[in-house]
Amino acid sequence: MCAQKPQKPNSAEIYNQIQKLNFLGSVLYIAAHPDDENTKLISYLSNEKKAQTAYLSLTRGDGGQNLIGPELREQLGVIRTQELLEARKIDGGQQFFSRANDFGFSKNPEETLQIWNKKQVLADVVWAIRKFQPDIIINRFDHRTSGNTHGHHSASALLSVESFDLTNNTKAYPEQLAYVKPWQVKKLFFNPSYWFYGSQEKFDAADKSTFLSFDTGVYYTNLGKSNAEISALSRSSHQSQGFGSTGTRGVDLEYLEPIKGLPSNTKSDLFAGIDTTWNRIDGGKPIGDLITKIIAKYDFTNPSKSIPSLVKAYEMIQLLEKSNWKIIKSEEIKNCIANCAGLYLEAVASQPEASPGETVQLTIEAINRTDAKILLESITTFPDQVTLSQNKSLGNNIDTKFSAVVSIPSSADFTEPYWLKETGTLGMYVVKDQENIGIPDIIRNNYVCFNLKIDGLELPLKRPIVYKYNHPAKGEMYQYLDIVPEVSTSFEEKVILFNTDKSKEIAVVVKSGKDNLKGELQLELPKNWIVTPDKFAVALSKKGTEKVFHFQVTPPKEAGEIFAKSALIVNGKKYSSEQVNIEYPHITKQQILQPAVSKFIKLDINIGPQKIGYIMGAGDAVPASLLQMGYDLIFLDPEEITAESIASFDVIITGIRAYNTIESLVNKQQLLFDFVKKGKTMIVQYNTPSLLKGVQLAPYPLTLSTNRVTEENADVVFLAPDHAVLNYPNKITKKDFIGWTQEQGLYYPSAYDAAFTPILSSHDTGEQDLDGALLIAPYGKGYYVYTGLSFFRELPQGVSGAYRLMANIISLQNRNSETVSNPKNK
């Protein structure tokens, strides 16, 4: 992993940090999701204006789709959280969140605020404002266009506008005032752009006489990049959403529409009328004057020359009365001093994971790469708060290394996203500690404080405890020290189908978080489910060891669903958590702890003997479910598809957004159509219309739209009740649409050829019927199927009706054959 590597700013970057010391203005950008933010504007405000700039995303993006892996819902939210944090490292902003859970697409803010707890989310917006104390708020979305965009979008703007008049009101959320003070934002803007108007032409023609406008296309000579190039790098952090961006150069106008607050007497300076100098703080003017001199005398060839004056400025700041700016600038100037000294401070653990009660060996490194006089007085390890005296003078470029230990308390919290510790609701996460609300990342308590004296100034600097190793191809790799349970268990399959009364072998993985683990593994099931053996003795000698145990489970005769639990009993204590590690090269490794459960389904389902060729889409977990059903499934590489290579298959299925993400698939369309014509079946799952780039998706005219049914419990009407897909080999009824999750489907076709038969119709409350969820057309001797039904969500969640309907779609060519059950269970 590379995301945790320590920052090593160059001389130009240090200069920018010192410049930032002399600007006391702040902006909070507010929107609904990761990737909603305007990275060009955030980068401009942070790097050009030198403002304290933050992005408040009300959600963590849990309800979106995933282009890079199978993670959905909360796990996707963890990925997107980390992507936002990486984006902020690039564009210079800070990041905040509310407790709102992204429950999926919402068509209006009324629905959004009903599923979210409006009072709590509004409280979180007020909290973020009181805590960050912005002079200016900028909304990504327009509060006046309710229902014209995603309901979350409109809701974010509505809550922002409402909060403007609450944050300085002591009667609004008074419980917050034990931690923060009331705060009045001075200006509120809306950030319009061409896509709010429908096109660039309409935006160019719009009346913008009341708008502020300024050029964000500035070029930073000392960084060698334009603002838009930095913005593109930031935007490209959103890999799970496929938002890789190419940098641009040249003039790039940005617009802001005033909504509330102080009037602007200029059309180009959003801070007009706001004092952004040290004069805004009593006694601050001499500090500003001194920093101005530091900037003027900065030596790019030797930044350490600025240290004495920076130390003096730091001491002057400490004499000010307590304020938010005193806290911010104290931390900023400490970092400037450390960076000017070329200080490299690191605490490396001998292992990547530790369990509560364990002692971890550390290698401490400290080096000063200037002539500055620096004394390492001591270090303090956390969380055990042990101080080790050092009194070592750090000479120029003399690397100082020594060993230390940190003891992890037996009461230490496990490393995990704090917002996932409690069971939330569809619309909200539960965070009980007020001070934790809005914190973007996992709260890590494992660090070392280096207690230094620089030019006579006592300067404590914290560094997280990391684990690093050398990768033969990638070089130095970092990750944080994680606190893990003594043991974790997990089912190899999260959904297990029982198509007959016969038993199945159930694999459970045990992972040790400590040496010499001994315990008893058991499954917790209702009495009408039979499991043998009733327990396994477990003995694992080394930490990190994994072992698989196999139980035989026999289902009851009647259909039903249960959640099976696995647990390991160690010295009378039950461990029943699964450790999920999310690892991608562009983000920090994440550990999630969740209940070790698997959904067992005794399912009344029949399937046929079809051989399936599957073309993977983006973040596609459907194949695992088809294998669970018992199908013979082989993955197809689009590059290698030929008429001969696919001739043996009965059905070919393309995964979600396959045509959006696999360029070579476009060139194989005629081969796939010919495959259907010869008497086979092709099933195409949803694609995003804006990314199809003229692809002929079907052998007949078919136009996709953004239409969707977001209400998972919306009533379904059978338009073709006698069609084979609703009758063979399983009789589909409305009961099969009970228990669907998040949505029924998305990106339904809006227009299609008469050759297609629409099978289903449904609609969200107050809207027109949508008939494009499942379209089937005979083509030659075979069948072409397009479906926007969200099988990619329902099958991994173990929704019985989704399995039964998918089996029928797969069996279209075999509708006159003898009905068969799962052949693998015969």
Side-chain angles (χ1 to χ4, degrees), residues 353-612:
E353 297 178 344
S355 56
E358 190 173 354
T359 298
V360 180
Q361 295 292 322
L362 303 178
T363 298
I364 307 297
E365 180 178 5
I367 185 170
N368 162 29
R369 289 171 285 191
T370 67
D371 290 327
K373 294 179 180 180
I374 301 178
L375 177 69
L376 176 60
E377 295 184 317
S378 64
I379 65 165
T380 304
T381 55
F382 289 84
D384 57 353
Q385 301 186 50
V386 174
T387 297
L388 301 176
S389 179
Q390 297 298 315
N391 291 315
K392 295 178 179 178
S393 178
L394 302 181
N396 188 349
N397 210 32
I398 304 301
D399 200 10
T400 299
K401 289 185 178 180
F402 55 94
S403 298
V405 296
V406 59
S407 297
I408 308 301
S410 57
S411 59
D413 290 335
F414 300 128
T415 304
E416 60 180 321
Y418 69 89
W419 60 94
L420 297 180
K421 288 185 177 181
E422 304 284 342
T423 301
T425 65
L426 174 63
M428 295 297 297
Y429 287 120
V430 175
V431 181
K432 294 180 178 178
D433 188 334
Q434 176 68 49
E435 291 186 282
N436 288 347
I437 293 172
I439 292 176
D441 203 357
I442 287 173
I443 299 171
R444 299 180 185 275
N445 297 314
N446 310 312
Y447 61 91
V448 169
C449 184
F450 292 78
N451 303 304
L452 302 162
K453 183 177 283 187
I454 303 179
D455 259 28
L457 174 68
E458 300 282 350
L459 202 67
L461 295 173
K462 295 178 181 178
R463 295 294 184 266
I465 298 176
V466 297
Y467 171 75
K468 70 177 182 179
Y469 61 96
N470 186 72
H471 188 283
K474 300 177 182 178
E476 191 175 54
M477 305 295 287
Y478 279 80
Q479 64 187 65
Y480 292 115
L481 173 67
D482 284 343
I483 307 304
V484 303
E486 291 179 299
V487 64
S488 60
T489 69
S490 62
F491 289 88
E492 284 194 343
E493 300 288 345
K494 298 301 180 281
V495 175
I496 299 175
L497 301 181
F498 293 82
N499 296 3
T500 71
D501 296 341
K502 293 185 178 181
S503 66
K504 276 194 171 186
E505 188 176 78
I506 307 300
V508 177
V509 181
V510 176
K511 181 180 179 181
S512 175
K514 68 173 188 177
D515 292 339
N516 302 315
L517 175 76
K518 291 184 179 180
E520 291 184 343
L521 178 67
Q522 60 189 36
L523 295 188
E524 297 177 1
L525 298 169
K527 291 182 179 179
N528 59 340
W529 289 73
I530 300 172
V531 57
T532 57
D534 59 345
K535 60 186 177 182
F536 280 104
V538 175
L540 299 175
S541 60
K542 292 293 184 182
K543 178 171 59 179
T545 302
E546 291 186 1
K547 187 173 182 180
V548 181
F549 297 85
H550 296 91
F551 292 91
Q552 287 291 327
V553 174
T554 305
K557 293 186 179 298
E558 62 274 11
E561 301 178 356
I562 65 162
F563 283 97
K565 300 178 182 178
S566 65
L568 193 77
I569 311 299
V570 180
N571 296 325
K573 184 177 180 180
K574 181 191 290 186
Y575 293 87
S576 55
S577 291
E578 175 184 4
Q579 180 194 47
V580 177
N581 288 320
I582 297 178
E583 298 187 62
Y584 289 98
H586 69 298
I587 60 174
T588 298
K589 175 192 171 188
Q590 300 292 291
Q591 172 183 260
I592 299 174
L593 299 176
Q594 60 189 30
V597 299
S598 177
K599 189 174 186 179
F600 286 8
I601 305 173
K602 176 62 190 308
L603 184 59
D604 178 16
I605 186 174
N606 296 305
I607 72 167
Q610 292 84 10
K611 181 179 179 182
I612 298 173

Side-chain angles (χ1 to χ4, degrees), residues 93-155:
Q94 300 176 51
Q95 185 61 52
F96 304 119
F97 293 96
S98 81
R99 289 170 289 176
N101 191 339
D102 179 2
F103 56 84
F105 191 87
S106 178
K107 293 184 176 179
N108 59 73
E110 291 76 24
E111 179 198 49
T112 296
L113 294 173
Q114 184 177 23
I115 296 176
W116 290 350
N117 182 320
K118 179 191 173 182
K119 182 179 179 181
Q120 288 186 357
V121 182
L122 180 59
D124 291 357
V125 176
V126 171
W127 168 256
I129 294 169
R130 286 172 169 173
K131 193 173 180 181
F132 184 63
Q133 297 186 8
D135 297 309
I136 295 168
I137 287 177
I138 301 175
N139 291 340
R140 167 83 286 190
F141 301 103
D142 191 347
H143 65 288
R144 298 157 299 193
T145 55
S146 175
N148 290 359
T149 180
H150 195 317
H152 298 181
H153 293 168
S154 298

Side-chain angles (χ1 to χ4, degrees), residues 766-795:
E767 297 192 358
Q768 297 294 317
D769 287 335
L770 294 177
D771 300 342
L774 179 59
L775 300 176
I776 301 175
Y779 183 66
K781 297 179 181 180
Y783 289 93
Y784 176 92
V785 180
Y786 183 87
T787 180
L789 291 170
S790 58
F791 286 112
F792 74 102
R793 295 195 191 278
E794 314 312 322
L795 295 179

